[in-house]
């Protein structure tokens, strides 16, 4: 008897649970659709990323004066850097963008990984030089790359400068700037801000200005340690794919390490945003060894190295 | 027992009915705004649109799925293409029509997206000049305004500096300051590699 009584009760509870569950399912599905609508703006088109990067660059060039083309020397320097970055970007097209293959240093969601695979640059990479002795480089979303005169002066040859360019290009190609912004700020902020910016028809307004300033502050604070390791990894692979010596990344990191020692940079402040440089050097050395990375056949001949160093010195020394 | 079976059947029917009424997550429709701007996998015959501008060395239809392949045609921002084959990793085989001539070639996967981009009046004019029609109501609002609402003169000053910087770069890449040519740009990049002995044997 007990069984006969309890079964209908159990089934009633099951029915109520099913109906409640389906109602919940409706709500979940609606939320998923709403989230996908939000991502429409979050998934920025290359042109939108470009305009955002342009705004961030405007903040950068207002803080640091960029070198203007006023004579043959400055023209040669800007042309040299832009041809180098364009060459590396094309030569490294087939370098992996998979977070897992790049050492598993960053935790990208499926959507973020898809975004990186499909990232395109509206106008390619555009490099500028900041007229500052500070050792700094900034890569913005949309393809703007700014390198300080101080950092260029630290490079001893073309391959080392290429290592700087490849590392910064990695931050652009792997969407590090926007990934940080998405994590630090609610998606809704970027959604509402960009909606007003791009779809109001009133041109660039105060919200756009605020967004650019916020993004540039993120940039001035530096990328997180995982992103730095990932940029070293992609950059070293890109150097090899472009025919440069992958070891140049190690040499450049060692120069920065020496610079940090010489200039007594506050280790607390430095480590707050960057991984210990010794660990970065070791990670790159391990990568070169494990993947047996080297430049193309013939790119490390004395003639080829001399040709590169000659034009490097003509431009910068 | 029969009553129990009937009760169970009603439960099942209610469950199926309620679940059927839940909003479904449709496959992304093509060519409409309000959808993801890209999709990782394409089918043969899918329409796609160029997402990069002529200042990018990627705005080219290539003869082969290779980064240094010979350029066959220049691509305009917003130009419609038809997917032919997507089984070559980072490259997609596409067909397009330039000035009435149909041509097939390869583009990088990220260069195209399923969403017809919003075009400025100038971009729309350029696209129509080459014989393509842009999507209706697809004119972009002016993005290149200047910030005024918060009195951010700093940003305005920076943007003005960037205007000069970009015009210089277009000129240095071998093209016109306002109308860069991606084929010339790409040739310059390749020449840089050759002169530095970077392309190897």
């Amino acid at each position: 008897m007990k069984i006969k009584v309890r079964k209908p009760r159990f089934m009633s509870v099951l029915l109520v649970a099913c109906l409640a569950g389906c109602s919940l399912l409706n709500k979940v599905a609606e939320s998923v659709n709403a989230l996908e609508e939000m991502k429409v703006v979050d998934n920025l088109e290359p042109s939108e990323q470009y305009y955002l990067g342009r705004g961030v660059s405007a903040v950068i060039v207002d803080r640091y004066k960029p070198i203007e083309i006023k004579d043959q020397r400055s023209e040669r320097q800007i042309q040299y850097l832009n041809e180098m970055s364009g060459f590396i970007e094309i030569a490294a097209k087939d370098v992996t963008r998979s977070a897992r293959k790049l050492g598993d240093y960053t935790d990208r969601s499926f959507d973020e990984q898809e975004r990186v695979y499909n990232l395109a640059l509206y106008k390619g990479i555009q490099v500028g030089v900041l007229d500052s002795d500070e050792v700094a480089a900034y890569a913005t979303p949309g393809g703007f790359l700014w390198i300080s005169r101080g950092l260029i002066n630290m490079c001893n040859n073309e391959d080392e400068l290429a290592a700087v360019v490849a590392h910064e290009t990695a931050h652009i190609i792997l969407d590090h700037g926007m990934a940080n912004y998405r994590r630090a700020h609610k998606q809704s902020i970027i959604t509402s801000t960009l909606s007003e910016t791009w779809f109001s028809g009133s041109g660039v307004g105060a919200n756009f200005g605020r967004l650019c300033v916020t993004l540039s502050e993120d940039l001035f604070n530096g990328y997180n340690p995982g992103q730095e390791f990932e940029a070293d990894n992609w950059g070293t692979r890109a150097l090899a794919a472009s025919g440069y010596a992958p070891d140049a990344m190690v040499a450049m990191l060692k120069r920065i390490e020496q610079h940090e020692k010489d200039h007594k940079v506050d280790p607390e402040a430095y480590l707050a945003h960057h991984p210990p440089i010794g660990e970065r050097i070791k990670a790159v050395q391990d990568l070169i060894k494990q993947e047996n990375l080297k430049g193309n056949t013939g790119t490390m001949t004395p003639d080829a190295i001399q040709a590169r160093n000659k034009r490097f010195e003509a431009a910068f020394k | 027992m029969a009553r129990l079976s009937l009760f169970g059947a009603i439960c099942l029917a209610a469950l199926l009915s309620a679940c059927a009424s839940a909003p479904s997550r449709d496959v992304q429709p093509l060519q409409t705004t309000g959808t993801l701007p890209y999709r990782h996998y394409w089918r043969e015959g899918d329409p796609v649109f160029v997402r990069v501008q002529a200042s990018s060395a990627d705005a080219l239809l290539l003869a082969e799925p290779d980064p240094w392949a010979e350029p066959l045609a220049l691509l305009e921002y917003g130009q419609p293409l038809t997917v032919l084959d997507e089984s070559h990793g980072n490259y997609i085989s596409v067909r397009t029509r330039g000035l009435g001539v149909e041509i097939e070639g390869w583009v990088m996967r990220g260069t195209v997206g399923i969403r017809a981009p919003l075009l400025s009046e100038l971009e729309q004019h350029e696209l129509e000049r080459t014989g393509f029609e842009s999507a209706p109501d697809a004119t972009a609002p002016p993005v290149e305004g200047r910030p005024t609402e918060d009195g951010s003169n700093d940003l305005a000053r920076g943007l003005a500096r960037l205007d000069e910087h970009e015009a210089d770069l277009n000129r240095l890449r071998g093209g016109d300051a306002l109308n860069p040519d991606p084929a010339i740009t790409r040739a310059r990049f390749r020449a840089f590699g050759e002169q530095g002995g970077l392309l190897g044997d």
Side-chain angles (χ1 to χ4, degrees):
Chain A
M1 279 299 283
K2 278 181 183 174
I3 294 171
K4 279 187 183 175
V5 172
R6 287 173 84 182
K7 267 197 175 173
R9 272 189 191 166
F10 171 74
M11 294 307 282
S12 302
V13 170
L14 184 66
L15 175 63
V16 170
C18 283
L19 291 175
C22 288
S23 166
L24 187 66
L25 196 66
N26 267 300
K27 284 192 176 1
V28 168
E30 281 168 17
S31 304
V32 167
N33 285 348
L35 273 175
E36 291 204 341
E37 286 300 312
M38 278 179 66
K39 282 199 294 186
V40 168
V41 183
D42 185 40
N43 276 309
L44 299 180
E45 281 285 309
S47 58
E48 293 164 340
Q49 289 216 6
Y50 160 79
Y51 284 114
L52 203 52
R54 211 175 120 82
V56 175
S57 293
V59 180
I60 294 171
V61 299
D62 197 57
R63 178 189 275 206
Y64 302 94
K65 190 172 170 290
I67 288 182
E68 290 171 15
I69 297 177
K70 54 187 180 215
D71 51 30
Q72 278 192 338
R73 183 173 167 78
S74 53
E75 181 170 301
R76 187 187 298 165
Q77 290 177 348
I78 300 288
Q79 184 167 9
Y80 175 94
L81 277 167
N82 278 278
E83 288 180 357
M84 172 192 273
S85 66
F87 173 76
I88 291 174
E89 202 252 325
I90 294 178
K93 287 283 188 201
D94 291 333
V95 171
T96 184
R97 297 181 184 189
S98 155
R100 191 177 54 78
K101 290 181 181 167
L102 290 171
D104 242 343
Y105 294 116
T106 57
D107 183 22
R108 274 203 281 277
S109 67
F110 178 79
D111 273 357
E112 285 173 320
Q113 186 61 67
E114 286 284 288
R115 193 179 286 125
V116 170
Y117 282 143
N118 289 279
L119 190 138
L121 299 171
Y122 181 61
K123 289 192 178 184
I125 289 181
Q126 308 195 55
V127 191
V129 179
L130 302 172
D131 193 7
S132 164
D133 289 331
E134 211 177 292
V135 173
Y138 301 106
T140 80
F144 290 90
L145 204 165
W146 299 98
I147 305 175
S148 72
R149 190 167 34 75
L151 182 53
I152 292 172
N153 288 342
M154 194 189 274
C155 300
N156 207 30
N157 54 47
E158 177 169 316
D159 288 34
E160 288 181 12
L161 182 57
V164 173
V165 169
H167 174 94
E168 294 303 320
T169 301
H171 286 309
I172 295 172
I173 295 291
L174 302 173
D175 201 30
H176 287 166
M178 290 305 293
N180 278 353
Y181 186 84
R182 285 187 202 99
R183 291 212 174 111
H185 309 279
K186 298 279 182 203
Q187 273 196 352
S188 58
I189 297 174
I190 195 165
T191 303
S192 62
T193 309
L194 294 186
S195 295
E196 286 174 38
T197 303
W198 268 290
F199 306 122
S200 68
S202 60
V204 177
N207 280 331
F208 181 71
R210 276 194 286 274
L211 177 63
C212 292
V213 169
T214 309
L215 271 167
S216 59
E217 281 166 1
D218 287 350
L219 206 61
F220 292 139
N221 285 334
Y223 291 104
N224 68 46
Q227 290 172 327
E228 291 296 341
F229 276 117
E230 192 176 69
D232 287 341
N233 193 304
W234 189 93
T236 307
R237 291 169 191 266
L239 280 178
S242 313
Y244 285 109
D247 291 342
M249 187 68 80
V250 175
M252 201 56 223
L253 287 170
K254 283 183 175 171
R255 285 190 197 288
I256 293 172
E257 183 180 40
Q258 190 58 47
H259 174 82
E260 299 294 346
K261 283 178 188 164
D262 293 347
H263 291 79
K264 296 185 174 57
V265 175
D266 177 5
E268 291 300 316
Y270 179 72
L271 291 174
H273 302 295
H274 289 78
I277 204 136
E279 287 181 24
R280 289 174 66 186
I281 291 169
K282 185 175 182 315
V284 172
Q285 285 172 330
D286 288 349
L287 170 73
I288 292 170
K289 198 173 170 187
Q290 282 162 14
E291 301 282 328
N292 193 22
L293 295 179
K294 51 192 171 197
N296 302 330
T297 315
T299 61
M300 296 301 152
T301 61
D303 284 352
I305 293 169
Q306 192 185 7
R308 294 203 287 277
N309 290 342
K310 199 174 166 187
R311 68 182 177 184
F312 171 80
E313 283 171 17
F316 295 105
K317 299 293 177 186
Chain B
M1 199 63 190
R3 278 167 60 193
L4 273 178
S5 302
L6 180 64
F7 196 71
I10 291 170
C11 282
L12 186 62
L15 174 67
L16 292 174
S17 158
C19 289
S21 66
S24 60
R25 294 180 59 188
D26 294 331
V27 175
Q28 302 291 337
L30 299 176
Q31 288 192 69
T32 55
T33 53
T35 59
L36 293 173
Y38 54 77
R39 198 176 48 176
H40 200 131
Y41 301 103
W42 316 96
R43 286 169 305 189
E44 188 180 338
D46 276 353
V48 288
F49 299 88
V50 176
R51 304 199 298 161
V52 299
Q53 199 247 19
S55 300
S56 162
D58 287 338
L60 290 168
L61 190 69
L62 301 172
E64 290 169 57
D66 178 275
W68 295 114
E70 179 199 353
L72 298 175
L74 311 186
L75 299 173
E76 295 288 337
Y77 179 59
Q79 182 170 332
L81 311 168
T82 305
V83 173
L84 299 177
D85 182 9
E86 66 108 26
S87 59
H88 282 71
N90 289 333
Y91 300 87
I92 303 171
S93 170
V94 292
R95 182 194 301 124
T96 188
R97 177 177 57 83
L99 296 171
V101 181
E102 280 209 342
I103 187 164
E104 292 179 8
W106 298 84
V107 291
M108 288 296 296
R109 186 179 289 279
T111 307
V112 295
I114 58 169
R115 200 166 82 181
L118 300 174
L119 304 178
S120 68
E121 281 183 24
L122 180 65
E123 288 162 342
Q124 200 163 358
H125 175 74
E126 277 299 304
L127 194 60
E128 284 166 4
R129 189 179 59 76
T130 49
F132 295 101
E133 286 180 10
S134 56
D137 301 325
T139 308
V143 180
E144 281 290 79
R146 291 289 180 264
T148 52
E149 292 169 38
D150 63 347
S152 177
N153 292 325
D154 294 351
L155 198 61
R157 195 167 54 230
L159 286 169
R161 276 183 181 166
L162 284 173
D163 285 338
E164 291 173 25
H165 176 67
E166 288 190 89
D168 282 339
L169 290 191
N170 286 343
R171 187 172 50 78
L172 290 177
R173 284 169 170 178
D176 184 275
L178 297 176
N179 296 299
D181 183 330
I184 295 176
T185 303
R186 201 181 188 84
R188 286 255 170 158
F189 293 164
R190 188 183 168 88
F192 181 88
E194 276 174 346
Q195 287 157 11
L198 293 164
L199 294 176
D201 296 334

